[in-house]
Amino acid sequence: MAAGETQLYAKVSNKLKGRSTPLLLEPLLAMGFPVHTSLKALAATGRKTAEEALAWLHGHCNDPSLDDPIPQEYALFLCPTGPLLEKLQEFWRESKRQCAKNRAHEVFPHVTLCDFFTCEDQKVECLYEALKRAGDRLLGSFPMAVPLALHSSISYLGFFINGSPADVIREFAMTFATEASLLAGTAVHFWIFSQVPGHGLNLRLKNLTTASFVSHCSLQKYCTVKPCTKQLHLTLAHKFYPHHQRTLEQLARAIPLGHGCQWTAALYSRDMRFVHYQTLRALFQYQPQNADELTLSPGDYIFVDPTQQDEASEGWVIGISQRTGCRGFLPENYTDRASESDTWVKHRTYTFSLAADLNSRKDGEASSRRSGEFLSQTARSLSSIQALQATVTRKSVLVVRHGERVDQIFGKSWLQQCSTPDGKYYRPDLNFPCSLPRRSRGIKDFENDPPLSSCGIFQSRIAGDALLDSGIRISSVFASPALRCVQTAKLILEELKLEKKIKIRVEPGLFEWTKWESGKTTPTLMSLDELREANFNIDTDYRPAFPLSALMPAESYQEYVDRCTASVLQIVNTQLQDTGVILIVSHGSALDSCTRPLLGLPPRECGDFAQLVRKIPSLGMCFCEENKEEGKWELVNPPVKTLTHGANAAFNWRNWISGN
């Protein structure tokens, strides 16, 4: 850091001395991390757990800005939940499909209560307390229903909130702003502009250079939070093409506003350095070929400044990884555009609803209602609460076929096409995966246990992203031991943001009918240790219903059906504590063999079974729900639509050269 920045940072660091150590901070300090970087990690991860902060610190060990005192920016939003949110998300998807993407798609449905503001890392918990105080103070007067009036213009479409409900919401925003400013005490308000070693990246804001910036830094008495006092609105579309206005209006008028809605005040933060950058999300793994390139893992977010791409060659961009903080080149076709809010961090919420109390208010930030308000709503809300409880406790099973496999496209000789004479893997076609996991017996073991193709990886991510949009709550995941199934399960979990929270339970009983597998022996599958080494979050404590050693080659149809029946019934019956959706990732055949036992139906005739399975596409789904009232399971519509795509022929550019 420059001398001026060092002096400023010393002022900030000195303020940390002599303060009590929060519980989340203690384990990080015990591991030898400095106070300022530990606080930065906690703020960047929403102060949820020390484990998440520790993972952030490990990821940012080479971040050139790790020691810079750069605070997060925070904002408060009022967000709809429940049926209204589902209808708004449906509008989002349909408006994007019919009218292309507009600015509203960059952020989730919300009403802005406070503009973005900065807060010192050690003062973030003061914001949580301010949210709780403001919520408790206005809880009794918060409107039972928030009326939404549609407003349309040539460049804007949204719902306006008017009248006394709007006044109460504004009062809540002003109360939070006042409490936050008082509780946060003395806060540092500044922008940091630092030189990244080796790249000459000079971050600027308001035309201030690094040298002139330091003189503008100051210690101010209050953390300034500005509540929104203008027209409260929930934006549906913004900065769209004028000829799309009528279509958007028709879609908006179809949103039913009579549904009940739980409104939640949510505190989010973002990295203020990248506010005006484009956000990309990595689709594939990429290992750097040169020292100035970024490592990419699927799901990584990359910040790209469109004005600083002069150094990049065609097809490449320069970006900064959110996961590591490092800057470098990356192949643009390995990424896709992401939404602005995808990188925001949710901190704490306060829910204005009685039904939310059923879940014990997981954040622990909302206090009990005032006695009069609670009693007045109990009688008229009892039936809806009981209905909610019945929905929450209903058990469901979602069976998903894996994504496209490489041998499905390149045939049985696929391994010979991508192997060097010395047994190493290379990528002869873009639909081959970028790399293969390590196996103890070498690349040959992939011959009968093929991985997903690049398109299969993309399909799995699309399905996972759609499941995220649907609001489905996955509680546990079981997968066939085939590599393609474990890969699909991992990719779906990554899109659901659950890859670190839910472990994959490998169940050999879900494996394909072995009569359809080539060879006289069962395929050599990856061990749990090999899967863990390949960065799959596997549950090694899980005891399968059908051990891997019991798989027999060329088993009969009845043996296959019995195996699947025993496996799925044990999965369902042992998940007594899970009230969400059980995800089973297996083969096309599992959509029939793993659902009919639940539905109480006998197995199909073998010929009919084979004909049916041939028609099941990649990522095909079947969804079963338990109807406790009638004591049976039922097939219902899957939470997302089918993925359909066309064929793509191989192309050789040499055939197009004139004269050949």
Side-chain angles (χ1 to χ4, degrees):
M1 290 186 286
E5 295 178 36
T6 304
Q7 294 172 4
L8 172 65
Y9 182 70
K11 295 180 181 179
V12 179
S13 300
N14 289 335
K15 293 174 61 184
L16 302 180
K17 298 177 181 179
R19 299 181 183 269
S20 59
T21 306
L23 291 177
L24 290 176
L25 191 58
E26 289 179 355
L28 302 179
L29 298 181
M31 298 185 70
F33 292 103
V35 176
H36 63 283
T37 54
S38 299
L39 287 169
K40 176 181 280 194
L42 288 169
T45 55
R47 298 185 78 95
K48 295 180 179 67
T49 65
E51 289 77 12
E52 289 186 47
L54 181 61
W56 188 93
L57 285 167
H58 285 313
H60 286 257
C61 59
N62 296 317
D63 184 350
S65 67
L66 183 60
D67 286 325
D68 292 344
I70 308 172
Q72 293 277 306
E73 274 191 324
Y74 298 84
L76 186 65
F77 303 113
L78 186 65
C79 304
T81 64
L84 177 58
L85 176 60
E86 293 175 5
K87 295 300 179 182
L88 290 171
Q89 290 173 332
E90 186 177 323
F91 170 86
W92 245 250
R93 291 190 293 269
E94 195 61 22
S95 63
K96 188 185 297 185
R97 187 182 70 83
Q98 293 192 31
C99 305
K101 189 174 181 179
N102 62 69
R103 287 294 300 274
H105 293 120
E106 289 291 326
V107 187
F108 44 80
H110 71 280
V111 178
T112 301
L113 299 182
C114 294
D115 294 334
F116 275 99
F117 61 93
T118 58
C119 178
E120 290 179 286
D121 293 338
Q122 70 268 30
K123 295 282 188 162
V124 175
E125 289 195 357
C126 296
L127 302 182
Y128 305 164
E129 178 63 22
L131 178 60
K132 180 181 183 302
R133 290 188 185 184
D136 288 351
R137 187 172 304 174
L138 274 299
L139 184 58
S141 56
F142 194 85
M144 288 289 295
V146 176
L148 302 174
L150 185 63
H151 173 80
S152 177
S153 70
I154 197 170
S155 63
Y156 176 84
L157 184 74
F159 289 125
F160 280 5
I161 303 175
N162 300 310
S164 58
D167 293 337
V168 174
I169 295 172
R170 286 194 194 93
E171 185 181 354
F172 167 73
M174 293 179 67
T175 303
F176 167 78
T178 302
E179 293 287 349
S181 298
L182 292 175
L183 290 171
T186 303
V188 182
H189 291 270
F190 51 78
W191 301 97
I192 290 297
F193 304 88
S194 58
Q195 193 86 2
V196 179
H199 294 284
L201 176 63
N202 191 19
L203 302 178
R204 297 171 180 261
L205 186 69
K206 297 180 181 178
N207 298 320
L208 290 178
T209 63
T210 304
S212 64
F213 150 73
V214 176
S215 63
H216 287 77
C217 298
S218 62
L219 291 173
Q220 298 181 5
K221 188 174 181 180
Y222 298 112
C223 172
T224 305
V225 183
K226 182 182 178 182
C228 292
T229 56
K230 298 180 180 179
Q231 174 68 62
L232 295 179
H233 56 274
L234 191 157
T235 300
L236 296 176
H238 182 43
K239 292 190 176 180
F240 47 83
Y241 293 110
H243 63 276
H244 286 153
Q245 182 180 358
R246 184 176 178 182
T247 302
L248 291 168
E249 279 188 23
Q250 291 174 340
L251 292 173
R253 295 187 191 283
I255 300 174
L257 300 179
H259 286 294
C261 178
Q262 303 170 10
W263 290 90
T264 296
L267 185 68
Y268 280 84
S269 73
R270 68 183 182 186
D271 193 322
M272 66 181 183
R273 295 173 297 169
F274 308 119
V275 171
H276 301 296
Y277 283 45
Q278 290 180 353
T279 305
L280 304 180
R281 180 173 60 185
L283 300 174
F284 311 109
Q285 189 87 21
Y286 179 75
Q287 292 298 328
Q289 308 298 312
N290 299 290
D292 59 356
E293 295 175 3
L294 277 180
T295 299
L296 296 182
S297 295
D300 280 358
Y301 289 104
I302 311 297
F303 299 112
V304 174
D305 185 351
T307 66
Q308 295 187 357
Q309 301 304 314
D310 295 341
E311 302 175 43
S313 305
E314 184 178 356
W316 291 75
V317 294
I318 306 172
I320 298 176
S321 169
Q322 184 198 37
R323 180 172 59 85
T324 65
C326 297
R327 180 180 185 268
F329 293 91
L330 63 143
E332 190 172 14
N333 62 350
Y334 275 51
T335 65
D336 194 13
R337 283 293 300 271
S339 298
E340 175 188 342
S341 61
D342 287 346
T343 59
W344 294 358
V345 177
K346 181 187 282 189
H347 284 253
R348 296 293 185 271
T349 62
Y350 191 106
T351 302
F352 295 96
S353 77
L354 177 61
D357 289 328
L358 291 173
N359 293 325
S360 300
R361 301 208 175 190
K362 293 182 181 179
D363 292 322
E365 298 303 321
S367 65
S368 60
R369 292 175 170 265
R370 297 178 183 176
S371 300
E373 178 70 5
F374 181 87
L375 293 174
S376 65
Q377 292 190 16
T378 300
R380 62 176 178 262
S381 302
L382 184 58
S383 60
S384 61
I385 294 172
Q386 290 172 339
L388 178 63
Q389 286 176 320
T391 302
V392 170
T393 57
R394 182 172 293 176
K395 191 179 294 184
S396 307
V397 173
L398 178 62
V399 185
V400 180
R401 188 194 178 195
H402 59 77
E404 179 185 273
R405 47 194 275 186
V406 288
D407 60 334
Q408 181 181 338
I409 303 301
F410 299 104
K412 293 182 179 180
S413 63
W414 73 273
L415 195 59
Q416 286 71 44
Q417 299 174 47
C418 63
S419 301
T420 61
D422 58 352
K424 293 183 179 180
Y425 174 79
Y426 76 98
R427 193 184 190 192
D429 185 281
L430 289 181
N431 204 18
F432 277 81
C434 297
S435 61
L436 294 178
R438 192 189 71 81
R439 300 182 80 148
S440 58
R441 295 173 52 182
I443 195 173
K444 186 171 176 57
D445 277 351
F446 287 106
E447 185 169 12
N448 294 319
D449 184 26
L452 294 177
S453 66
S454 293
C455 286
I457 293 171
F458 186 58
Q459 291 168 341
S460 303
R461 290 201 175 280
I462 289 177
D465 185 60
L467 288 171
L468 179 66
D469 285 344
S470 74
I472 191 171
R473 190 179 78 83
I474 301 296
S475 60
S476 55
V477 178
F478 296 83
S480 160
L483 174 58
R484 55 193 180 273
C485 297
V486 181
Q487 283 181 305
T488 302
K490 179 180 186 289
L491 294 165
I492 289 176
L493 284 175
E494 285 179 354
E495 293 302 306
L496 289 168
K497 320 297 183 189
L498 295 173
E499 70 274 16
K500 295 181 180 179
K501 297 180 181 178
I502 296 181
K503 293 185 177 182
I504 301 172
R505 299 170 182 176
V506 177
E507 175 51 69
L510 300 174
F511 188 65
E512 181 66 279
W513 183 12
T514 57
K515 182 181 178 180
W516 287 348
E517 295 292 317
S518 59
K520 297 182 180 180
T521 60
T522 53
T524 302
L525 303 170
M526 292 182 69
S527 67
L528 298 186
D529 289 338
E530 287 176 326
L531 289 171
R532 284 177 61 86
E533 184 181 337
N535 202 30
F536 293 97
N537 190 12
I538 302 298
D539 186 352
T540 54
D541 296 326
Y542 171 67
R543 299 186 64 178
F546 198 91
L548 186 61
S549 58
L551 281 178
M552 301 297 294
E555 62 189 339
S556 68
Y557 177 58
Q558 188 60 50
E559 288 173 332
Y560 166 70
V561 167
D562 291 343
R563 163 164 63 85
C564 289
T565 300
S567 299
V568 74
L569 290 180
Q570 175 169 308
I571 287 172
V572 169
N573 292 331
T574 55
Q575 299 304 298
L576 299 178
Q577 303 302 319
D578 292 333
T579 56
V581 177
I582 301 170
L583 174 62
I584 294 177
V585 183
S586 186
H587 310 266
S589 54
L591 270 68
D592 186 76
S593 60
C594 287
T595 56
R596 291 181 74 86
L598 294 178
L599 301 172
L601 299 175
R604 296 181 190 272
E605 293 294 327
C606 184
D608 294 340
F609 171 76
Q611 290 295 326
L612 177 70
V613 171
R614 289 191 182 99
K615 300 175 183 178
I616 297 174
S618 299
L619 275 302
M621 300 181 186
C622 272
F623 195 39
C624 296
E625 265 191 0
E626 184 183 26
N627 188 332
K628 288 188 176 181
E629 291 77 13
E630 299 183 16
K632 63 179 183 180
W633 287 76
E634 300 171 335
L635 271 181
V636 295
N637 287 330
V640 300
K641 303 295 183 183
T642 302
L643 172 66
T644 304
H645 57 87
N648 186 50
F651 172 73
N652 189 337
W653 60 271
R654 289 188 175 87
N655 296 336
W656 289 77
I657 298 176
S658 178
N660 285 355

